[in-house]
């Protein structure tokens, strides 16, 4: 066998190995009515990456914050919701990227309302992706009788990133605008606004002064120190540019 073929063979087997060991979706209870869903994807540049979303239950009705990262995991999540006796009333995507929106098509096909900011839908449309069925312009935008509040703090990870405030439990779902404490960088910044990033987090802090728990788009959740941590990284990234 020519060395060239051997290299190709090794390359493909390593790749398919990496893809075959993608873990199943994980669902972790955070509070009585709030669950974290974590789905995985193999990303060429970063290796195996996990993405966080939420499931919020109120009176047997379920809402999901961000869809899982694959159709397969979205199906599994929908089945989990059904098998626990809940009715899925909608999904909210916190920006247009695939770790937030891949499941929209599946949910639309199953007549589950899918929510996104109009700007997110515009970006999805420009990229020829499936659109959310319900769009909104103004925030705070509330769902589930005020149990879920969507807030647009300004540009950061993307120009369309929103965060989710759960006033009852004082949980902020920061999505990809907020970095986990072990992150030393801002992650993927191909569509980011690094100049405005820290100011957008300051907007969150002044709007919601009593945040107890912060859930980032990727990695471990924690207390409100994740906010200052991300401000620090974004400021040092800004000054290095
Ligand atoms: Zn993103």
């Amino acid at each position: 066998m020519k060395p060239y073929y051997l290299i190709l063979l090794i390359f493909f087997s390593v790749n398919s190995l990496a893809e075959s060991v993608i873990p199943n979706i994980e669902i972790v209870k955070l509070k009585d009515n709030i669950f974290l869903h974590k789905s995985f994807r193999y990303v060429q540049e970063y290796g195996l990456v996990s993405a966080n979303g939420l499931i919020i239950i109120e009176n047997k009705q379920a809402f999901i914050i961000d869809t899982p990262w694959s159709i397969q995991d979205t199906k599994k999540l929908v089945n989990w919701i059904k098998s626990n006796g809940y009715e899925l009333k909608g999904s909210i995507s916190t920006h247009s990227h695939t770790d937030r929106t891949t499941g929209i098509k599946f949910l639309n096909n199953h007549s589950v309302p899918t929510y996104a900011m109009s700007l997110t839908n515009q970006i999805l449309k420009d990229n020829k992706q499936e659109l959310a069925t319900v769009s909104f312009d103004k925030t705070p935008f509330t769902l589930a009788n005020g149990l879920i509040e969507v807030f647009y703090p300004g540009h950061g990870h993307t120009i369309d990133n929103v965060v989710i405030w759960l006033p009852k439990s004082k949980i902020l779902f920061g999505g990809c605008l907020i970095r986990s404490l072990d992150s030393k960088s801002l992650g993927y910044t191909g569509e980011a606004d690094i100049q405005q990033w820290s100011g957008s987090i300051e907007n969150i802090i002044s709007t919601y002064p009593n945040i107890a728990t912060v859930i980032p788009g990727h990695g471990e959740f924690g207390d409100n120190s994740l906010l200052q941590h991300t401000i620090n990284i974004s400021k040092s990234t800004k000054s290095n540019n």
Side-chain angles (χ1 to χ4, degrees):
M1 193 186 284
K2 284 180 183 172
Y4 169 76
Y5 291 119
L6 189 65
I7 289 165
L8 259 187
L9 189 69
I10 291 168
F11 177 77
F12 282 117
S13 49
V14 166
N15 252 2
S16 56
L17 179 76
E19 278 160 24
S20 67
V21 294
I22 293 175
N24 273 325
I25 186 168
E26 291 173 11
I27 297 171
V28 182
K29 188 173 183 173
L30 297 183
K31 297 237 173 190
D32 273 347
N33 60 337
I34 301 170
F35 299 83
L36 180 83
H37 68 77
K38 185 180 277 203
S39 55
F40 298 82
R41 200 186 258 197
Y42 184 80
V43 182
Q44 199 68 50
E45 239 176 288
Y46 303 99
L48 187 67
V49 181
S50 69
N52 297 328
L54 290 180
I55 309 158
I56 297 150
I57 314 288
E58 177 74 352
N59 297 329
K60 296 268 171 193
Q61 299 189 329
F63 286 86
I64 61 177
I65 310 299
D66 289 327
T67 78
W69 215 342
S70 68
I71 299 279
Q72 200 58 28
D73 280 340
T74 305
K75 248 186 218 174
K76 285 180 189 159
L77 180 54
V78 169
N79 286 340
W80 180 90
I81 289 169
K82 268 192 206 156
S83 65
N84 280 284
Y86 308 131
E87 188 193 352
L88 181 55
K89 298 297 277 186
S91 76
I92 307 144
S93 291
T94 58
H95 65 276
S96 76
H97 288 162
T98 55
D99 52 345
R100 315 286 136 199
T101 56
T102 298
I104 287 181
K105 191 170 188 175
F106 179 84
L107 298 175
N108 286 350
N109 288 344
H110 289 79
S111 307
V112 174
T114 48
Y115 294 80
M117 196 162 63
S118 308
L119 181 56
T120 299
N121 252 354
Q122 186 57 52
I123 297 169
L124 287 170
K125 193 177 173 191
D126 293 345
N127 291 314
K128 299 187 170 52
Q129 300 297 311
E130 181 88 1
L131 305 191
T133 50
V134 189
S135 64
F136 53 89
D137 285 311
K138 285 199 181 118
T139 74
F141 173 81
T142 58
L143 278 165
N145 297 322
L147 192 74
I148 301 169
E149 192 168 309
V150 187
F151 177 64
Y152 175 61
H155 298 179
H157 169 70
T158 55
I159 58 166
D160 65 324
N161 49 203
V162 294
V163 297
I164 309 293
W165 172 236
L166 306 176
K168 229 174 164 181
S169 51
K170 299 187 170 43
I171 291 176
L172 180 91
F173 181 84
C176 297
L177 179 70
I178 305 301
R179 302 292 291 162
S180 63
L181 290 181
D182 63 353
S183 306
K184 305 271 183 284
S185 78
L186 292 173
Y188 170 68
T189 53
E191 294 148 62
D193 186 336
I194 293 162
Q195 295 302 315
Q196 293 192 31
W197 197 314
S198 59
S200 298
I201 300 176
E202 304 279 6
N203 280 343
I204 297 171
I205 295 169
S206 58
T207 308
Y208 304 112
N210 54 352
I211 297 167
T213 306
V214 177
I215 298 162
H218 306 275
E220 293 298 313
F221 63 88
D223 62 13
N224 62 6
S225 64
L226 271 76
L227 303 174
Q228 191 56 49
H229 168 69
T230 311
I231 288 176
N232 295 345
I233 309 177
S234 66
K235 282 187 175 167
S236 61
T237 309
K238 187 158 65 175
S239 59
N240 287 339
N241 276 349

